[in-house]
Amino acid sequence: MTHRTTTDAAGTTPEIHLVWDWNGTVRDDLDDHVAALNSTLHRIGGPQVDVATYRALHTVPIRAFYDTLVGRTITDEEWSRSNAEFLADLHQRPVRLRAGVRQLMLSLRAAGLRQSLLSLAPHERLLQEVAKTGIGGLMERIDGRVGEPPHSKAPALAAHLAALGVEPGRALVIGDSLDDAVAAHEVGAVAVLHTGGLHSAERLAAAGVPLTDSLKGAVQTGLAIINSAHRLER
């Protein structure tokens, strides 16, 4: 990809790199998550969960989320089976991109910004899902998790940026959860969260980072923050 070497009309600079989250951000799948959870949670004595409850309680690590919903510490066997069943159900559902995100990514690419995708979804499943959408070619790198779900996204984000050769201070993380904000803070990146994903706006307000109602707004806000810092450094 060829990157511009001067600031363009949108005020962007070639140093900025966007890291997209997948579930709840690029993939519009909140309702799918709730449905997949309800199809499996009852097997370990959990209740039916509505969207509001999901958004209020969803957390990383996911196993702690299950403990909260069931009201007890689930066993290793229950966790392994429930997580596998949830992922299998979710993977069978159509992959829907959030409205306008493909066009947004194309415009960002045209403006010379680098983009990648980082998720805690299983890596091979993530690649299969992204392939169905046709946006994979717009990403410089796509990383999902390998192994058990981690306690935080921060180590994965640090490794992702290092593999790309991106300075954390020039990285903009666009996500929908508290963990996206925490991970960005821990590695020194900028995070902007949109309010239409897996966590409620009320919970996201506690993250202390900018919130927007759209991905386009999140990108514009984040670019403005990094560009402002960039000008102050000059």
Side-chain angles (χ1 to χ4, degrees), residues 25-41:
T25 303
V26 174
R27 181 174 177 178
D28 187 2
D29 58 357
L30 171 60
D31 290 340
D32 293 336
H33 273 244
V34 175
L37 181 65
N38 283 331
S39 74
T40 60
L41 193 63

Side-chain angles (χ1 to χ4, degrees), residues 11-143:
T12 61
T13 60
E15 294 87 357
I16 298 177
H17 182 101
L18 272 73
V19 180
W20 295 99
D21 173 55
W22 179 240
N23 295 112
T25 303
V26 174
R27 181 174 177 178
D28 187 2
D29 58 357
L30 171 60
D31 290 340
D32 293 336
H33 273 244
V34 175
L37 181 65
N38 283 331
S39 74
T40 60
L41 193 63
H42 65 91
R43 302 183 194 280
I44 55 174
Q48 290 289 290
V49 175
D50 59 18
V51 169
T53 300
Y54 188 101
R55 299 184 84 209
L57 298 179
H58 178 270
T59 190
V60 174
I62 301 298
R63 183 167 178 168
F65 178 41
Y66 277 70
D67 290 345
T68 298
L69 292 174
V70 176
R72 61 178 173 82
T73 300
I74 62 176
T75 67
D76 291 345
E77 192 277 333
E78 287 175 324
W79 159 243
S80 179
R81 185 180 71 248
S82 297
N83 185 52
E85 290 176 349
F86 171 84
L87 291 173
D89 185 292
L90 186 64
H91 190 59
Q92 294 302 313
R93 297 177 183 272
V95 179
R96 302 186 308 276
L97 293 180
R98 193 165 297 280
V101 70
R102 188 194 311 272
Q103 292 75 15
L104 176 59
M105 290 175 171
L106 286 168
S107 68
L108 293 171
R109 182 187 178 104
L113 276 89
R114 303 168 62 190
Q115 301 174 75
S116 60
L117 197 153
L118 175 65
S119 174
L120 295 185
H123 183 68
E124 291 304 320
R125 290 179 183 270
L126 176 65
L127 293 180
Q128 294 170 23
E129 292 173 3
V130 173
K132 295 177 181 178
T133 70
I135 65 169
L138 300 175
M139 302 294 114
E140 288 197 14
R141 186 177 181 90
I142 300 173
D143 283 326

